[in-house]
Amino acid sequence: MPDLEIIETVRWRDGMVRILDQTRLPAEEVYLDLATTAEVIEAIRRLAVRGAPAIGVTGALAVAQAAAQTGGNAAPEWIARVQESARAVADARPTAVNLQWAVDRVVSVLWRAAGSGASVEALRALALAEAQSILEEDLALSAAMGAHGASLLPQDGRVLTHCNTGGLATAGGGTALGVVFEAVRQGKRAFVYANETRPLLQGARLTTWELQRAGIPFALLCDGASAWLLRTRRIDAVLVGADRVAANGDTANKIGTLSVALAARAFKVPLYVVAPRSSFDLSLADGQGIPIEERDPEEVLSWPGGRVAPEGAEAWNPAFDVTPAGLVSGWVTERGVERPPFIETGETEA
Ligand code: MRU
């Protein structure tokens, strides 16, 4: 039975945004209380908090914090100033649409209430309430995705996963890895092959930590070994998360997902994307418009603890890739197992 205790990845604590610093895992469990917008942005950029749903929740709480810290009495001018901070938070990382979605959701609540004459004090409370709702909803969405996804796994399932898509990537439930947790909770057996996920090793550091904590057996493998795994061992499903899904189903996720998807198709293993509807960007017809974050080449040139490549070496470090919709067997959302065209029905619901 997995450890059912939810990981408190990100929470609101006395005016601070409290995060579990994921750069310190698995060696240490250290919580950081982020006191300003600048501190939140820095934490998102350096992946102290990461994973699309988790940075969405963090962004929403950061707007509530900016609202609490921004002075003024005239609502329109005050919102415009809060919105400047919100924009900076939304820009901290470009690919996961959840960040922009959550930040915009809090800001639009402020404009709506200001239009009905709410005071700045009331708006501050509303911003926090909306951010807290996004956090609570995220937990419910994880549970719903887990339930829908678990039905795809056999009684004794062997799964390949990439990056970290567990509680650490959300407010605490998980997307793709949450499906495995739910399957085990239901009494199924699961064995997880976890790609290490170069260069920042979310698989090696975080997925293994979560699986160990939950008592689920696993094997860690180098990213380059996953095609051979799919070729030589019985794997029932590849389960991955998403940072942004376009209207046609093209899916941006951690760099390396495309290679796994191509190998899965070649060896006839179904690949499911597990993501809440807040990771869908139906304004984009296809994946070509998805902004792909490129990070510091130093992350590739080094291995934790030291430099690997010689001085003067260059590197290319895209943090995400886009898997064409045709390589995906289904998108597990809070609504069920979906396929394009995705119906837009307004607010995300649990
Ligand atoms: O760079 P990261 O660690 O934020 O990338 C995270 C991923 O790519 C996850 O697979 C994605 O956000 C979905 S997680 C629920």
Side-chain angles (χ1 to χ4, degrees), residues 19-180:
I19 60 159
L20 175 57
D21 184 349
Q22 299 189 33
T23 64
R24 310 274 285 267
L25 289 171
E28 297 171 296
E29 284 178 49
V30 176
Y31 287 85
L32 301 178
D33 286 326
L34 309 171
T36 63
T37 302
E39 285 182 24
V40 174
I41 291 172
E42 199 250 349
I44 293 174
R45 287 211 178 116
R46 67 182 185 85
L47 272 55
V49 57
R50 45 138 308 274
I55 60 175
V57 172
T58 307
L61 292 174
V63 179
Q65 184 180 58
Q69 294 178 355
T70 302
N73 297 313
E77 291 79 15
W78 177 82
I79 299 179
R81 286 171 53 215
V82 172
Q83 206 166 358
E84 272 174 42
S85 303
R87 182 60 31 227
V89 172
D91 288 346
R93 293 189 76 192
T95 304
V97 71
N98 307 61
L99 179 56
Q100 175 141 27
W101 167 84
V103 162
D104 287 350
R105 186 168 139 179
V106 179
V107 171
S108 40
V109 161
L110 296 181
W111 282 117
R112 257 202 314 276
S116 317
S119 67
V120 163
E121 214 33 59
L123 294 177
R124 288 195 180 103
L126 267 181
L128 181 56
E130 189 67 12
Q132 292 280 29
S133 308
I134 291 173
L135 189 154
E136 294 299 329
E137 283 169 28
D138 189 71
L139 291 167
L141 295 175
S142 286
M145 287 183 282
H148 295 303
S151 64
L152 298 168
L153 296 182
Q155 191 53 37
D156 190 359
R158 292 150 69 96
V159 166
L160 170 64
T161 187
H162 190 68
C163 196
N164 169 266
T165 59
L168 290 169
T170 64
T175 61
L177 205 58
V179 165
V180 175

Side-chain angles (χ1 to χ4, degrees), residues 22 47 49-55 93 96 162-166 169-170 174-176 200 202 206 240-243 252-255 257 274-276 279 293 295 319-320:
Q22 299 189 33
L47 272 55
V49 57
R50 45 138 308 274
I55 60 175
R93 293 189 76 192
H162 190 68
C163 196
N164 169 266
T165 59
T170 64
T175 61
L200 295 179
Q202 290 91 332
L206 308 176
V240 296
D243 286 78
N253 191 49
K254 178 53 54 195
I255 190 74
T257 304
V274 187
S279 300
E293 176 183 11
R295 295 182 61 83
F320 299 94

Side-chain angles (χ1 to χ4, degrees), residues 303-319:
W303 188 260
R307 205 163 205 279
V308 175
E311 285 310 319
E314 292 185 10
W316 179 49
N317 189 14

Side-chain angles (χ1 to χ4, degrees), residues 277-331:
R277 274 300 197 108
S278 52
S279 300
F280 285 57
D281 183 352
L282 301 185
S283 74
L284 297 178
D286 58 41
Q288 280 183 42
I290 299 178
I292 298 295
E293 176 183 11
E294 291 201 12
R295 295 182 61 83
D296 187 349
E298 205 51 44
E299 292 177 351
V300 173
L301 296 164
S302 304
W303 188 260
R307 205 163 205 279
V308 175
E311 285 310 319
E314 292 185 10
W316 179 49
N317 189 14
F320 299 94
D321 55 28
V322 178
T323 296
L327 296 177
V328 179
S329 297
W331 289 256

Side-chain angles (χ1 to χ4, degrees), residues 219-250:
L220 180 65
L221 61 155
C222 300
D223 296 346
S226 50
W228 187 238
L229 175 85
L230 291 161
R231 169 75 182 81
T232 56
R233 302 220 169 153
R234 192 204 90 219
I235 301 296
D236 299 294
V238 178
L239 298 178
V240 296
D243 286 78
R244 195 182 295 227
V245 181
N248 74 338
D250 288 353

